[in-house]
Amino acid sequence: MKSQQARVAAIHDLSGFGRCSLSVILPAMSVMGIQVCPVPTAVLSTHTGGLGDVVFRDLTDYILPALEHYAALSVEFDCIYSGFLGSSAQIGHCLEFFEQYPDAMAVVDPVMGDHGKPYRTYTPELCARMGELVRAADLITPNLTEAAILLGEEYPQAPLSHVMAKSWLVRLSALGPRYVLITGVELADGTVSNLGYDAQRGAFWRVACDYVPVAYPGTGDIYASVAVGAMLTGDSLPIAMERATRFLEYAIKTTYGYGTDPRYGVMLERCLPWLTQQHSLKGYETL
């Protein structure tokens, strides 16, 4: 079943409140003209970032039957995009999706931690198995914490030099993926930047972003989904990086201006029209 537009299987959790994971990935990629087929790994009442006792339902037993149904229907996907995974079995099911669709772009957002610490649900075994998924990927989008976990490094306590940043990008790509994006990296030149690497071209990229003194859930999901959506609709890696960075910057600044509770996420609904407009994107640089 061939689509006339890009089609993505998004293997992520669904949090009902708090604007993260599938609740932001679906609208962001949809307004970019991409059909998103959600494959939920779990359903949660809210995200787990300080909103009380979360109602959680594990959907591990749903993923493989969904894949089998899509295969029986001859549904084609241009991209398989995985995010938060709740068990080792779910990693195995993602690998089966990749094997079923070898021509699809395999994207792994290795959601394992933030601010220098792994999430409490991510055991050493689960973190180790995430490496298997990364080895099968074409593109990975870790934050700095996740990059450190994948490389077996301590979380950096000081800004990264350009030399160190390039080394991490190359080492992550050596695990398997052609494209590596590391988000939210504080560099020694005083900027906070999103970094990218294309191993096939040997090209390093950076897009600096304005610092806003607040942290919102779901921003990594938004960045990754917009960057992937941009690449699927024809953008080069650096332009996709800048499109994702500028949109996220706009959403964060908009939300910060209203002073809403950070736990509720960014005001995505107010900002989505930006993704339907043409923008001059010239702010990316070589690293």
Side-chain angles (χ1 to χ4, degrees):
M1 186 186 300
K2 181 65 176 175
S3 175
Q4 298 303 309
Q5 61 192 113
R7 180 186 289 140
V8 175
I11 310 172
H12 294 254
D13 68 287
L14 175 61
S15 295
F17 182 77
R19 296 190 182 101
C20 67
S21 56
L22 284 173
S23 67
V24 296
I25 292 165
L26 275 161
M29 298 189 91
S30 294
V31 300
M32 297 177 75
I34 295 165
Q35 181 186 3
V36 182
C37 300
V39 182
T41 59
V43 176
L44 297 82
S45 54
T46 71
H47 61 70
T48 57
L51 290 171
D53 295 329
V54 177
V55 179
F56 178 94
R57 297 290 183 270
D58 180 89
L59 293 179
T60 298
D61 61 358
Y62 166 82
I63 301 171
L64 190 55
L67 169 61
E68 292 170 347
H69 189 198
Y70 296 146
L73 292 173
S74 298
V75 173
E76 295 184 24
F77 291 105
D78 301 284
C79 175
I80 309 297
Y81 168 25
S82 72
F84 175 84
L85 302 173
S87 68
S88 179
Q90 291 186 355
I91 288 178
H93 294 338
C94 288
L95 289 169
E96 292 182 74
F97 258 91
F98 291 164
E99 291 167 5
Q100 181 68 39
Y101 296 99
D103 296 329
M105 183 180 185
V107 177
V108 174
D109 185 0
V111 181
M112 295 186 288
D114 205 355
H115 306 298
K117 297 179 181 179
Y119 297 130
R120 62 178 181 270
T121 58
Y122 269 74
T123 63
E125 178 197 3
L126 196 52
C127 289
R129 286 219 67 195
M130 185 63 75
E132 295 181 42
L133 206 54
V134 165
R135 284 193 288 276
D138 299 307
L139 165 67
I140 61 172
T141 62
N143 60 31
L144 193 58
T145 299
E146 293 151 355
I149 292 172
L150 289 170
L151 294 175
E153 295 280 1
E154 293 293 323
Y155 181 76
Q157 299 302 313
L160 293 187
S161 67
H162 283 213
V163 171
M164 182 62 74
K166 285 183 174 181
S167 172
W168 278 37
L169 287 164
V170 169
R171 288 171 61 197
L172 286 167
S173 179
L175 298 177
R178 170 182 172 177
Y179 302 106
V180 177
L181 301 179
I182 308 179
T183 59
V185 179
E186 186 178 355
L187 294 174
D189 62 10
T191 64
V192 176
S193 296
N194 296 320
L195 310 180
Y197 177 57
D198 178 347
Q200 186 169 304
R201 293 183 56 199
F204 299 88
W205 305 100
R206 58 175 287 193
V207 180
C209 43
D210 291 343
Y211 172 73
V212 179
V214 67
Y216 296 104
T219 51
D221 299 319
I222 295 170
Y223 177 87
S225 59
V226 174
V228 170
M231 292 178 72
L232 288 173
T233 53
D235 279 353
S236 65
L237 179 66
I239 292 178
M241 289 171 58
E242 182 165 11
R243 192 178 306 281
T245 301
R246 296 286 89 88
F247 175 68
L248 188 55
E249 198 173 62
Y250 169 56
I252 289 172
K253 287 181 175 180
T254 297
T255 308
Y256 187 67
Y258 281 93
T260 58
D261 189 327
R263 296 175 299 170
Y264 300 169
V266 298
M267 300 173 69
L268 184 71
E269 303 81 9
R270 185 175 290 272
C271 301
L272 281 172
W274 189 96
L275 290 172
T276 68
Q277 301 161 5
Q278 294 296 316
H279 301 278
S280 178
L281 300 171
K282 302 177 182 178
Y284 57 88
E285 303 173 285
T286 55
L287 178 65

